[in-house]
Amino acid sequence: MPKRIIYWFRNDLRLHDNEGFFKATQDAEEVIPVFVFDTRQFQQLDRLGFPKTGTFRAKFLLESVQNLQDNLRKKGGNLVIRTGKPEVVLSELAREYAAEAIYTSKEAAQEEADIETALSKKLKVDNVDFEVFWQSTLYHPRDLPFWVSRIPDTFTEFRKAVEKLTKIRPTFATPTVVRLPEGIEIGKIPEIYELILFSSLPVSDARGVLPFHGGETEGLRRLKNYFWDTDHLKVYKETRNGLLGEDYSSKFSAWLAYGCVSPRHIYEEVKRYEAQRGANESTYWLVFELLWRDYFRFITLKFGSRIFKVSGIQHNILQKWENNQERFQQWINGKTGVPFVDANMRELQLTGFMSNRGRQNVASFLAKDLHLNWTWGAAYFESQLVDYDVCSNWGNWNYVAGVGNDPRENRYFNIHTQATRYDEQGEYVKTWLPQLANVPAAKIHQVWNLSPAEQKTFGVQLGNDYPKAIVNGNKWLKR
């Protein structure tokens, strides 16, 4: 048995169903849990004018790390905190504390994989073992009915094969005791301004769907509330396209993104719910959405860095995109003159969250109506979203931009049709664009057509109180 193993926490900030950490506690006499704040993840994207990780994401991460440390202390351990490049920091820690191995969670995307490779090379010099564990998905890639390189390019084909031929592995137990070596320098969790220059913790907007707080404890509490306390799981399929309120969807995505909650634990809770309260389309649909999340992870493994290129996984080099900074800023700031787009972008800017329905529409508007470089939009989502997940985010943007996994060629969202279907009375738009509060429902989603007399009646002057539309919105009315 190795005397000492370092466990490097990454996007698996939990103690339940954490195979790598569980095995570290079983394989070694002592375990040193470590989290490294990678400074590269907080750098400013100078060309685009925002940091790679924005304040909402940073706040959620800081809370998640703090909660992990608290939970480890309850088990007799602690969480060693460092800031820097993980491949450098961890190799130095292994040498300093004579660790025989480093265990960690396997990641799917290119940047993370490159760090694993760099760390592995450094550890070989000192004869330190490096072992990775795949634990971010519902299904394990080794159990799939095809090689990852042969993953189907459409989700439906993937889903049918997996549901028919593959079983989900059971969850791992939570370690009962963590034995930490004596004399370890723990370090401290940085302040947000130490990660992102000139920043402070974001203020919660009362209009937001949920006051997202990071950590395993909060994630499990949210799961219990949504499934068991309020019984919202039974109507998930009917409500999941909502726009306002805490419970139109599960909102598990933030805790899943940082691994505060295991997807397999959610699956087991769904099965327990079905056994006790009954199965229906909604219980299936929540697992269905987890399977979409799996799919984007496996697609990332298959295509590697192609998901980040403007040509996408289709390698479409014929499609041309515009790099118009002015138009991009209008989109970011919710000043396009299209209320449904602007309301969603304001919600994202002020809360770090946006509904799935909103994401599809604003992404389609950027790519298909403004013809802007879709990777800019994906990068902005990466910065802003509290539930940013590299595979789901970039996979979905590939999909909407028409360079990814979509069996329907030239998919296009008619913004007016979408707005009137999902915000029929304009309640969502008026929540985030109060200057349109007096515009009636029949006109709220086409304010660009308001006559001067109507503008006066409704108390909104286009070009002053609310922007004039930067596209001809009447094209949606003709379709």
Side-chain angles (χ1 to χ4, degrees), residues 21 52 109 175 208 283 297 301 388 390 396-397 405 417 446 476:
F21 185 63
K52 187 174 176 68
T283 58
R297 267 175 159 61
L301 284 178
Y388 169 74
V390 57
N396 270 307
W397 271 95
N405 303 89
T417 299
Q446 45 177 303
W476 297 314

Side-chain angles (χ1 to χ4, degrees), residues 69 95 106 173 192 200 217 253 474:
Q69 186 174 60
R95 195 176 303 119
K106 172 66 182 163
I192 194 168
S200 57
T217 302
S253 56
N474 289 330

Side-chain angles (χ1 to χ4, degrees), residues 121-161:
K121 289 179 179 178
K122 287 180 179 294
L123 295 178
K124 281 181 181 177
V125 175
D126 295 317
N127 201 29
V128 176
D129 291 336
F130 184 53
E131 191 166 348
V132 295
F133 298 83
W134 184 272
Q135 51 193 22
S136 60
T137 52
L138 207 55
Y139 291 92
H140 197 286
R142 290 178 185 166
D143 300 337
L144 297 178
F146 21 63
W147 296 106
V148 168
S149 61
R150 300 288 185 179
I151 294 285
D153 288 341
T154 62
F155 171 70
T156 300
E157 186 181 348
F158 166 81
R159 175 185 60 80
K160 288 180 177 178

Side-chain angles (χ1 to χ4, degrees), residues 53-160:
T53 298
T55 55
F56 290 106
R57 278 185 64 205
K59 173 180 175 289
F60 194 90
L61 172 62
L62 290 166
E63 292 170 347
S64 298
V65 173
Q66 181 63 70
N67 182 246
L68 177 63
Q69 186 174 60
D70 293 343
N71 290 342
L72 282 165
R73 284 171 174 164
K74 293 173 185 176
K75 303 288 185 183
N78 209 326
L79 183 64
V80 174
I81 306 293
R82 295 292 186 268
T83 301
K85 295 179 178 178
E87 63 270 32
V88 175
V89 171
L90 290 158
S91 60
E92 291 175 351
L93 280 174
R95 195 176 303 119
E96 181 180 358
Y97 293 112
E100 295 177 48
I102 292 182
Y103 287 5
T104 194
S105 176
K106 172 66 182 163
E107 295 290 329
Q110 192 68 49
E111 286 181 8
E112 292 79 359
D114 288 346
I115 292 171
E116 292 167 15
T117 301
L119 175 58
S120 179
K121 289 179 179 178
K122 287 180 179 294
L123 295 178
K124 281 181 181 177
V125 175
D126 295 317
N127 201 29
V128 176
D129 291 336
F130 184 53
E131 191 166 348
V132 295
F133 298 83
W134 184 272
Q135 51 193 22
S136 60
T137 52
L138 207 55
Y139 291 92
H140 197 286
R142 290 178 185 166
D143 300 337
L144 297 178
F146 21 63
W147 296 106
V148 168
S149 61
R150 300 288 185 179
I151 294 285
D153 288 341
T154 62
F155 171 70
T156 300
E157 186 181 348
F158 166 81
R159 175 185 60 80
K160 288 180 177 178

